Amino acid sequence: MTDATFAELDALTTEELRERAFARARERRDLGFFWSVFKHLPDSDEAATLDGAPNTVGPTVDEAVALWRELTGHGYGEQEPLLRAAFIDYLQKH
């Protein structure tokens, strides 16, 4: 999906963008990307409790995001536009 245009990526749902961006970041072991996403999620203070081991970061982030969404019954809230932009930017650059 590296050659995808902005319009093609923007047509995807936020969840599809998240899945693709997270898969790419896991492949690259890009802890910085995961951390930047966590900082923009509601209740991101709880992210400080993650151990940060490189081999567990992707699944831990996926589980944390899924748990937050399940428990709150919300999408990404006010942060959705920012997160969508971050996912699209990441997919286009990497």
Side-chain angles (χ1 to χ4, degrees), residues 63-74:
E63 291 164 6
V65 170
L67 179 61
W68 172 79
R69 292 182 73 210
E70 183 179 325
L71 291 175
T72 62
H74 299 106

Side-chain angles (χ1 to χ4, degrees), residues 15 19 22 28 31 33 43 50 53 56 58 66 69 77 79 88-89:
E15 191 59 20
E19 289 173 6
F22 277 26
R28 301 183 78 241
L31 181 60
F33 171 74
D43 301 320
L50 300 176
T56 62
R69 292 182 73 210
Q79 300 303 324
I88 290 170
D89 184 59

Side-chain angles (χ1 to χ4, degrees), residues 17-93:
L17 288 170
R18 184 200 64 78
E19 289 173 6
R20 291 177 188 211
F22 277 26
R24 181 88 40 89
R26 275 193 302 273
E27 289 171 8
R28 301 183 78 241
R29 300 192 194 311
D30 191 347
L31 181 60
F33 171 74
F34 289 118
W35 188 249
S36 71
V37 168
F38 254 125
K39 291 190 308 187
H40 294 98
L41 288 175
D43 301 320
S44 63
D45 295 336
E46 294 180 20
T49 62
L50 300 176
D51 69 9
N55 60 340
T56 62
V57 169
T60 301
V61 172
D62 287 338
E63 291 164 6
V65 170
L67 179 61
W68 172 79
R69 292 182 73 210
E70 183 179 325
L71 291 175
T72 62
H74 299 106
Y76 296 101
E78 295 176 4
Q79 300 303 324
E80 186 167 359
L82 180 64
L83 289 167
R84 283 184 63 79
F87 297 152
I88 290 170
D89 184 59
Y90 190 79
L91 289 167
Q92 287 188 312
K93 288 182 179 176

